[in-house]
Amino acid sequence: MLIFHNPVHEKHAGRQEMFRGKLVPCHETPARLEYVLEALRQRGIGELRAPAAADMALLKRVHTPRYVDFLAGAWQEWIALDPANAELDVLPSIWPVRGFRHDIEPTNFAARVGLFSFDSGCPLTAGTWEAALAGAACAIDAALAVSAPGGPRAAMALTRPPGHHAGPDFFGGYCFLNNAALAAQALREAGAARVAVVDVDYHHGNGTQSIFYERGDVLTVSVHGDPTTEYPFYLGYADERGQDAGADRNLNLPLPAGTGFEDWTRALEQGLAAVRAFKADAVVIALGVDTYEGDPISRFKLKSADYLRVGRLLAGLGLPAVFTMEGGYAVADVGINVANVLEGYAG
């Protein structure tokens, strides 16, 4: 397995996030990726590579150009307002909700931050754009690698910030650019007629669903916590099946808090059956390990040993695969759990 590692991920390091009514240290930290890297090195899993430059044209086919342009210049705008802002992160505080207009991009910076975001727990920092762009490059390069003649059957974008909550024109949930969606688009453009995205993170991949909801060439499957009680709350319900060309191309499998491995596995197997019925040519695995019983912000009950079986189940698809690193916040155990998935996948 090739592993494309983001060499500048640590440049995105948020100071604080809004969590349950107060500002707290960010749960999404550079240490997450370092634990994964260490676990992979110890077990000899994968060949590490750095990515090439991101394909900006492809980026703007997945995300809207005005959103990409905002992210690219947001920090510079923030500093231009007041040089003292260098000591602070950008957190949104106002949003255009029901009845407000979304089509006009205001000139006011705070209003633009709100236009392009959906929560106050996703700090934008001095290094966010550089880190997110390099992560996008990892995802695209992983997709190109498995698409190349004689290429590996699987590759991973080992990166942060994660991506699956980022939509066509919004960030949130620690995510800015949707690495899983970028990988899926790159696979399509490299020749795969049909691509499936299987999201196994605890939280629904709302951004990925939003990007592909009206498309028939990409099937999105997500096994996640019930959005009536779990973030991101406003998408992820079982009746969301896609629309127009994307009708019946979206499968949500929400599960209640406290779900254990056997029930979770039954839902995953249902999702994998949908991938087979779709006759996908390739698959993207949005790999979150916040389904772990020790995760501080999630409420499933998977144990570290269970992730070996998760890997075996995913391998059973027999498809060229791209893994993108998503959630997992029990930092010391994240590396073990990711390595177990990849080890199980490799057999």
Side-chain angles (χ1 to χ4, degrees), residues 222-310:
S222 183
V223 181
H224 54 267
D226 186 341
T228 58
T229 62
E230 308 305 309
Y231 184 94
F233 306 112
Y234 306 114
L235 280 180
Y237 294 89
D239 63 350
E240 297 158 13
R241 300 288 299 176
Q243 68 182 45
D244 299 333
D248 295 322
R249 295 292 185 257
N250 189 79
L251 176 62
N252 288 329
L253 299 163
L255 297 169
T259 293
F261 183 56
E262 293 309 315
D263 288 338
W264 185 90
T265 299
R266 279 191 283 274
L268 176 62
E269 289 174 333
Q270 182 180 344
L272 298 181
V275 173
R276 294 185 181 98
F278 179 62
K279 299 187 182 340
D281 299 304
V283 63
V284 178
I285 309 297
L287 178 59
V289 292
D290 46 1
T291 49
Y292 177 57
E293 62 182 353
D295 195 273
I297 61 173
S298 306
R299 298 194 290 169
F300 284 167
K301 299 298 181 184
L302 275 66
K303 302 180 185 303
S304 288
D306 294 333
Y307 292 102
L308 290 162
R309 186 174 168 196
V310 172

Side-chain angles (χ1 to χ4, degrees), residues 4 15 23 31 42 54 83 87 90 103 107 117 124 203 259 262-263 285 288 301 337-338 343:
F4 290 88
R15 296 171 175 88
L23 285 171
Q42 286 182 358
E87 301 303 316
V90 178
D103 58 319
T107 57
S117 67
L124 191 155
H203 305 96
T259 293
E262 293 309 315
D263 288 338
I285 309 297
K301 299 298 181 184
N337 297 336
V338 170
E343 194 171 279

Side-chain angles (χ1 to χ4, degrees), residues 3 22-23 32 34 57 82 84 113 140 146 160 169-170 176 238 249 251 275 280 311 318 320 337:
I3 298 175
K22 60 183 178 180
L23 285 171
R32 298 175 61 240
E34 297 308 316
D82 183 347
V113 175
I140 294 168
V146 302
R160 52 167 299 282
D169 60 354
F170 56 79
F176 297 90
R249 295 292 185 257
L251 176 62
V275 173
N337 297 336

Side-chain angles (χ1 to χ4, degrees), residues 77-96:
E77 287 191 61
W78 178 235
I79 298 301
L81 291 173
D82 183 347
N85 284 346
E87 301 303 316
L88 304 170
D89 292 341
V90 178
L91 282 173
S93 59
I94 184 169
W95 295 269

